[in-house]
Amino acid sequence: MFSMDIITLILFLLLFLLLSKVFHNNKKSKNKNFPPGPNCLPIIGNMHLFDIKNPSKTFTELSNRFGPVFSVQLGMQKMVVLYGYDAVKDAFVNHADEFADRADIPIFTETSNGHGIVFSNGENWKVMRRFTLSKLKDFGMGRKSLEDRINEECDLLVQTFKSYGGQPFENTTIINTAVANIIVSILLGHRYDYGDPTILKLMRLVDENFKLLGSPMIMLYNMYPNIMRWLPGGHRTVFKNNLALKDFIMETFTRQKSQLDINHQENLIDAFLIKQLENSPESDLYFHNNNLIMLVSNLFAAGLETTSTTLRWGLLLMMKFPEVQKKVQKEIEQVIGFRQPQIEHRKQMPYTDAVIHEIQRFGNIIPAIAPHATTQDVMFRGYFLPKGTHVLPLLATVLKDKKYFEKPDEFYPEHFFNSQGHFMKNEAFLPFSAGKRRCTGEILANAELFLFFTRLLQNFSFQAPPGTDVDITPVVGFTSAPMIHEMCAVPHHND
């Protein structure tokens, strides 16, 4: 009986704390001219309003009621939602400094502990971002050396596709490995053969985590971490996978440290290890092993998932729209012919450029990026947002903003043409986000997309296996990816 009384008391206290926090959040937001939003229920907040299978539908309904800047409460956490290009640009470009922090999201906080680049804040984030941008440039980003490295990988990818002799095959692992090899060469200084068990394991860890991070179970964990951490679920798999990835990175840099030549940096890990040897205040504060592990983990995951998923969308959409595929191939023949594609060719290929942009827009790889947080109290569009307010920018509503894209729900390369038929930039094209947290690997990703895409269409026509339909319904997790499917890579030229 006594033990039951203790349990009842603990549950009562927990319920009291939850209700207190909900009341505190509501009181705080109402007293300070917080953005409007729907009424909340105790404990669950606004969760009862959401269509779990299609949360974007709920966000659209709420935006129609409350405007492009509104608030929702998920569990006990109140957050501000930015809907559409104008609101996102206003926050991240016009108020870049005020919206530059990353929000404290339990699953990410517990896996990163504030280290690395993606989920860190303050001076740590600034130092890691400066270092990353500098070293990505040193090791080829935007330079001919990296272009050559991508083209070497293209050679191997084309040979692998040819080995199927036009018969159906599933492309996920092959494309993932090709893309992973580019970021791995920058981080570690080498590549892996297709089918190598090490790279297959690393890709499986990252892929599984990306799928789980968008699941309802992880959403529950982020809302009620103190309760959910004791229960089985996807969060435990995320932690286990993250630990395995960290162990691999630590083993790798420990081995590299024993062979380090300070006069010859071959990769980003070498450069980081050399910073450790400086014994300066900055190196002691920021260039420690925990930051190295998370930085490499962040760059590997981000450099792999988004680019490979975009490429897979590209090939699937060429299968779905063969007339677009033929136009791209015609432009490749006219501008490049049988030569090796180079980045400089892109300026002479307006149609291909528009198609790649539209693949990124339509694919909508990251519908809602990890929430930001305000770095200080800020007045934004007439509303008061206290320091630390969680801010969720819906990138999907930027890339499908009807004000900027004529046919937002269709694959329509003409979104990037002007009336004269020339390539035209669209200001609402923000697949890499905007402002202070804009993706550090944008230049690298653009180079990979152009070179891989043009080389594959130079060599193959992509078709659905006989008797099958091309389904472009996405699988939405933390990223929006194509469903697993087979394709036929039919040689485009008899060479």
Side-chain angles (χ1 to χ4, degrees), residues 405-417:
F405 297 103
E406 183 185 346
K407 300 180 180 180
D409 297 316
E410 295 180 27
F411 180 71
Y412 188 63
E414 287 75 9
H415 284 138
F416 297 93
F417 287 134

Side-chain angles (χ1 to χ4, degrees), residues 90-101:
D90 198 2
F92 291 170
V93 177
N94 301 340
H95 297 81
D97 290 327
E98 295 98 316
F99 287 84
D101 267 0

